Amino acid sequence: MSSIKVIGGGRLKGETKIQGSKNAALPIIAATVLNKGITILRNCPRILDVFHMIDVLKELGCIASWESNTLIVDTTDITSTKVSEGSVQKMRSSILFLGALLGRNHEVSIAYPGGCLIGKRPIDYHLDSIKSMNVSQEFLGDDKDIIHCYTDKIMGTDIFLKFPSVGATQNVILTAVLAEGVTRIFNAAREPEVLELCNFLVSAGARICGKGTAFIEVEGVGRLHDVDYTLSADRIVAGTYMAAIAAAGGEVLLLDTPTGQLDSVIRVLDRIGCSIRINDEYMRISCKRRPLPYDILKTQPYPGFPTDMQSQLMTVLCLADGKSTIVEEIFESRFQNVSELKKMGAMISESDNKAVISGVMHLEGAQVMAHDLRAGAALVIAGVAAQGETIVRGATSIERGYEDICRDLNSLGANVRYCSDNIL
Ligand code: UD1
């Protein structure tokens, strides 16, 4: 296991370019199997989650290769419709192959993904919706944890999601693209990554209306065609670096930032005292004073404040001049950082899905553990803002979503490096 060592305390100054979007790349990689041919995906981040999705493609008999940040996928031949238990355990997003393989081959076997550190994460909305599209489901294996779905014809239908689940919306769209008739999704997720999946599919020949809204209509087509597509930049990576400036202070330029997708984050950072200016080429963010507290910050589905930015804002509010409250509305247990930040001198009390944070003047460097991807990134920025040396263990979690968080933060003037646990 690797760690990240941070020497903190200085203000930030510099510029960095924001990598391609992880959460847009993952469903689109699953979607490539809907076309019998070649997909070129540009600006694709070289991160562990993307590598896992490519491993699944290879398990299915597809070919994938890289040229710099361009991923080339050849899905002409699919030799298997089974996604192994190991793949699903490594990464929950492999569940998106459920809809994609059904669309392509009318059959799929995939292991049931368990809960994870941030919550139970059931897939009942995925399964119920797909079942209503004339798809049979059975649960196989000793523990009945292999989902086998099959059909002779996927039929479009009306689907009402109880909650605007990102993954369920994407899985239904993937199932519907090559279905017979029209599928209408009510209460669809409006996250930019759902819109981006739709944009990709439309450029490959799919017929989709209502992209980016809570009502999406997919009219099935006979086939898709080859496509060359460029992914947008990652809004959560951009938000993470904005939070780093808010916590440590300074002034930086973020290039290729997807500003249109960051309204809720910009609003919060603006209210706690950061100054943010945007033009066509970059975002300039400058934070000259200690952050102001934020009364009640609630995570919500898009366009609300993203749960994937909650940990990073918790780091910032630990340093605010007063008391803030964070309410986590999306996942049941996404406060793993409370105990880690306390090791650094933070004052936080937590009950159920609410954390009350009394800001302190300084955080102190400490040895902490990255329990998940965003929590880990939030600890690195806590280290950047803290006085002294911080070691963030479990850095592999961070590599799931950040191409090179050390490279990027060092371009912004921080002192951060990967190191093996053995030499600590
Ligand atoms: C996606 C994102 C993740 C982000 C999350 C919420 C990817 C790869 N991941 O995850 O980074 O944090 O959206 O914005 O894009 N739920 C059910 N039943 C279901 C499906 C979901 O109860 O069938 C619940 C979940 O447990 C959770 C909530 O709905 O409490 C939201 O989950 P969902 O929007 O589906 O998140 P993911 O697609 O897993």
Side-chain angles (χ1 to χ4, degrees):
M1 190 189 279
S2 69
S3 295
I4 290 179
K5 183 174 178 172
V6 190
I7 309 294
R11 288 185 165 258
L12 299 180
K13 189 173 170 54
E15 62 178 58
T16 193
K17 178 179 167 316
I18 304 302
Q19 69 182 58
S21 164
K22 167 177 95 69
N23 286 356
L26 305 181
I28 289 176
I29 291 173
T32 61
V33 305
L34 287 168
N35 172 39
K36 216 173 184 179
I38 310 284
T39 301
I40 298 175
L41 207 50
R42 298 182 193 274
N43 199 30
C44 189
R46 298 183 72 135
I47 51 176
L48 291 186
D49 275 7
V50 163
F51 299 152
H52 290 325
M53 288 301 268
I54 294 172
D55 287 345
V56 179
L57 282 178
K58 290 181 178 167
E59 254 179 65
L60 304 176
C62 307
I63 302 165
S65 60
W66 287 97
E67 277 172 25
S68 182
N69 275 89
T70 300
L71 176 65
I72 301 144
V73 182
D74 182 347
T75 51
T76 310
D77 296 312
I78 289 208
T79 52
S80 163
T81 53
K82 290 194 176 73
V83 181
S84 70
E85 204 179 333
S87 300
V88 181
Q89 270 164 4
K90 260 194 217 152
M91 199 190 41
R92 293 182 48 86
S93 292
S94 343
I95 197 66
L96 294 166
F97 281 101
L98 178 67
L101 277 170
L102 260 176
R104 166 81 180 255
N105 283 47
H106 289 184
E107 185 178 15
V108 57
S109 285
I110 189 163
Y112 202 99
C116 71
L117 273 161
I118 63 174
K120 293 200 274 294
R121 305 188 81 171
I123 52 162
D124 49 335
Y125 307 153
H126 302 235
L127 294 180
D128 294 348
S129 309
I130 288 173
K131 197 172 173 183
S132 69
M133 300 173 79
N134 190 40
V135 173
S136 302
Q137 287 171 2
E138 54 187 357
F139 295 87
L140 307 175
D142 294 344
D143 298 326
K144 301 275 180 244
D145 58 353
I146 307 291
I147 310 160
H148 178 222
C149 294
Y150 55 95
T151 180
D152 52 357
K153 192 192 278 177
I154 302 171
M155 302 287 287
T157 189
D158 283 358
I159 286 169
F160 186 89
L161 293 172
K162 284 186 214 140
F163 180 87
S165 153
V166 175
T169 305
Q170 292 171 333
N171 239 336
V172 171
I173 292 170
L174 291 167
T175 311
V177 163
L178 299 177
E180 189 133 320
V182 175
T183 303
R184 303 193 301 167
I185 311 171
F186 297 83
N187 200 26
R190 287 180 287 163
E191 267 67 4
E193 295 77 20
V194 176
L195 171 63
E196 185 132 9
L197 172 65
C198 293
N199 285 340
F200 167 80
L201 288 167
V202 167
S203 59
R207 290 207 191 113
I208 305 178
C209 295
K211 295 181 294 171
T213 75
F215 174 66
I216 297 176
E217 216 171 358
V218 184
E219 187 188 341
V221 295
R223 55 188 291 275
L224 298 185
H225 53 71
D226 293 356
V227 58
D228 185 329
Y229 188 84
T230 303
L231 285 163
S232 29
D234 194 305
R235 65 188 169 113
I236 305 298
V237 171
T240 302
Y241 299 155
M242 291 163 74
I245 315 309
E251 176 166 326
V252 305
L253 296 186
L254 301 179
L255 314 179
D256 285 354
T257 307
T259 44
Q261 304 175 7
L262 281 161
D263 285 355
S264 61
V265 175
I266 292 172
R267 262 198 306 274
V268 171
L269 292 179
D270 180 60
R271 243 178 75 185
I272 64 171
C274 300
S275 148
I276 297 164
R277 276 184 287 146
I278 295 164
N279 68 22
D280 286 348
E281 285 154 43
Y282 57 76
M283 169 190 284
R284 180 190 297 275
I285 168 161
S286 107
C287 306
K288 301 265 155 83
R289 298 175 279 135
R290 191 176 170 196
L292 298 169
Y294 197 92
D295 192 15
I296 298 187
L297 178 62
K298 271 191 194 171
T299 62
Q300 280 166 341
Y302 192 84
F305 188 84
T307 175
D308 287 349
M309 279 298 299
Q310 183 259 102
S311 310
Q312 299 88 315
L313 256 289
M314 181 178 279
T315 294
V316 176
L317 295 175
C318 282
L319 291 159
D321 189 5
K323 194 189 263 184
S324 311
T325 300
I326 296 183
V327 182
E328 172 56 59
E329 299 265 14
I330 308 292
F331 291 110
E332 303 90 7
S333 43
R334 208 170 191 180
F335 283 145
Q336 309 94 318
N337 260 9
V338 169
S339 55
E340 305 307 310
L341 288 166
K342 280 181 169 175
K343 292 178 194 162
M344 302 179 74
M347 283 175 55
I348 312 171
S349 64
E350 174 203 351
S351 66
D352 301 326
N353 64 340
K354 194 200 262 187
V356 178
I357 305 156
S358 301
V360 294
M361 281 291 288
H362 300 289
L363 292 174
E364 300 290 337
Q367 284 216 14
V368 288
M369 182 70 193
H371 290 291
D372 81 17
L373 163 61
R374 304 303 171 191
L379 291 174
V380 175
I381 63 175
V384 170
Q387 293 180 335
E389 180 183 290
T390 295
I391 305 290
V392 182
R393 293 190 181 273
T396 313
S397 299
I398 300 171
E399 290 168 75
R400 280 187 40 218
Y402 295 80
E403 257 186 2
D404 193 338
I405 197 170
C406 299
R407 171 198 66 197
D408 293 348
L409 287 171
N410 288 337
S411 313
L412 300 179
N415 183 349
V416 186
R417 66 179 171 87
Y418 284 103
C419 50
S420 132
D421 279 350
N422 304 335
I423 57 159
L424 291 173

